[in-house]
Amino acid sequence: MKKRFTKDSTRDSSYHDILDFDDFEARLFERISRQPSRQKKGDRTIVTVRSASTLKNTLSTNGFQSLAPWPLARVDLVSLTRPVHHHFDWSRDGHKRTYTMHIEVNDSCIPKDARHLDTLRGSILLNNYSGISDPSGGGILKLRTLYSERLLRLPIGHHVSNGKIMHVYLIRDEDNSYIPYGSIHSITLIAAMRLGLAVDLRRRAFSKFVKLPLYEDMAPWNIAFAADKLMYIDYDTRNETYDADVAKVYRVLSVLMNYKRTVQDFDMCGTRAKTPYGFSHVSECVRPKTFQGECDYTSRYPVPCDDGMCHSDYISCLRSLALLREKKSTVSVVDRILEDIDKTAFMVHEE
């Protein structure tokens, strides 16, 4: 028989169906994880959920072990395939590049005699770096067994989670490039700024930004906050800096401008070739007439040329075309000489 509620009954927990909410957190996560994906067909997400009653980790207070006084639930993402976009609020910037994110168990890098859960749970992931770890992830795993310990270097993009080695990575859809995920301990600058930074924090962030080395693609989605530091995170271009090169930019532009003037006086300068970002000076005079390819797959050779190749700049293209004309002219001269020899030989034979 149910108890009748009175004016003050809401203060008495015996009037509430508390047992109906037992392990509510775990059941909620399980229900959410079973919902059909809102992404395109082919996506999948698999998680495991454990409530506080099954978790072995407990709080330690003054040497005594006790269950945590608040509800706990552990959610482990064990498998995921999902399309993702370039950065936070990507549509505002006109970005169309897409990726496919993968999360999967990969124990192939672990020796067979150390693949059981107890060994991995008792192991320690040692960081190769002090402070902020390498964005690629990886690290050194100290495997502990009953009889020995051994050190194992994990491949980049691999992480230890709940007794499993998880492989986290992206595949860039346009070229199938592989991009491993490191530990997520940062937030991109573009996300922080669009969520709203206080004026003082924005000024402090700018001060840190201008102190970074110069990389090729320092757009705000390639800069991340990691604790009180800013770091460059673009995977393709993070191994090369351009501080010394940027110091020469004005003089390099002067070279390109003055060179173009002399080419024009030779009457050998056509219109400007198209490049991915439309930069002036770098592609003057060499708009191709026969080359139908594209040169936007790499920033090292962005200039299309009628020699059928992509070049670093228009001067490189002009030199290549001049060399081709020299070779063609030489062949024509040789052909004419051989033709004259043939005619002379024929006349001698006739006589």
Side-chain angles (χ1 to χ4, degrees), residues 6 17 40 62 87 100 137 140 146 157 206 252 259 264 273 283 297 302:
T6 63
D17 298 325
K40 60 185 180 181
N62 297 326
H87 62 269
T100 302
I140 298 177
L146 293 175
F206 180 73
V252 171
Y259 199 93
Q264 287 175 323
S283 60
Y297 60 89

Side-chain angles (χ1 to χ4, degrees), residues 8 51 88 173 220 228 258:
D8 296 325
S51 65
F88 179 75
D173 294 335
D228 63 338
N258 293 321

Side-chain angles (χ1 to χ4, degrees), residues 127-345:
N127 204 342
N128 287 327
Y129 304 87
S130 59
I132 299 174
S133 63
D134 183 353
S136 293
I140 298 177
L141 184 67
K142 180 183 284 188
L143 290 170
R144 290 178 173 176
T145 64
L146 293 175
Y147 307 104
S148 65
E149 290 185 353
R150 73 184 81 172
L151 296 179
L152 178 71
R153 183 177 295 277
L154 290 178
I156 58 175
H158 288 71
H159 310 266
V160 179
S161 176
N162 194 27
K164 297 182 177 66
I165 303 298
M166 305 302 301
H167 188 194
V168 185
Y169 61 98
L170 296 176
I171 297 296
R172 189 161 54 207
D173 294 335
E174 65 182 9
D175 58 4
N176 289 323
S177 293
Y178 166 78
I179 305 174
Y181 251 67
S183 299
I184 306 301
H185 51 230
S186 60
I187 177 174
T188 60
L189 179 61
I190 188 67
M193 295 177 74
R194 285 181 173 171
L195 290 172
L197 279 180
V199 174
D200 184 57
L201 291 177
R202 185 180 290 260
R203 289 173 179 168
R204 288 165 59 185
F206 180 73
S207 179
K208 295 178 184 297
F209 171 72
V210 297
K211 294 176 183 177
L212 290 173
L214 297 179
Y215 296 91
E216 181 179 344
D217 192 358
M218 297 185 74
W221 43 81
N222 287 328
I223 309 295
F225 280 102
D228 63 338
K229 298 179 176 62
L230 285 181
M231 58 190 300
Y232 183 75
I233 59 173
D234 185 62
Y235 186 75
D236 293 329
T237 61
R238 62 186 182 143
N239 294 322
E240 190 171 3
T241 58
Y242 297 89
D243 297 75
D245 301 279
V246 170
K248 303 177 184 177
V249 165
Y250 188 87
R251 287 171 290 168
V252 171
L253 291 175
S254 180
V255 169
L256 296 174
M257 180 184 66
N258 293 321
Y259 199 93
K260 176 188 175 183
R261 167 56 199 269
T262 305
V263 175
Q264 287 175 323
D265 285 357
F266 274 111
D267 198 23
M268 297 295 290
C269 183
T271 56
R272 181 186 303 162
K274 182 181 178 181
T275 59
Y277 295 126
F279 294 146
S280 59
H281 298 301
V282 72
S283 60
E284 302 288 355
C285 303
V286 293
R287 186 181 185 92
K289 298 178 181 179
T290 59
F291 179 55
Q292 302 297 324
E294 295 184 355
C295 296
D296 58 355
Y297 60 89
T298 172
S299 60
R300 292 185 181 274
Y301 307 103
V303 180
C305 185
D306 263 336
D307 65 351
M309 305 292 290
C310 296
H311 289 258
S312 60
D313 54 82
Y314 79 91
I315 298 175
S316 173
C317 174
L318 288 174
R319 288 173 173 170
S320 177
L321 294 176
L323 182 61
L324 287 176
R325 282 193 295 270
E326 287 179 7
K327 290 181 178 179
K328 186 176 181 180
S329 176
T330 301
V331 171
S332 298
V333 170
V334 171
D335 286 341
R336 286 198 298 270
I337 293 173
L338 293 175
E339 185 177 349
D340 291 341
I341 293 174
D342 288 339
K343 289 181 179 179
T344 302

Side-chain angles (χ1 to χ4, degrees), residues 94-105:
H95 260 273
K96 298 181 180 180
R97 181 177 291 174
T98 59
Y99 306 79
T100 302
M101 187 174 191
H102 298 269
I103 300 178
E104 57 198 25
V105 177

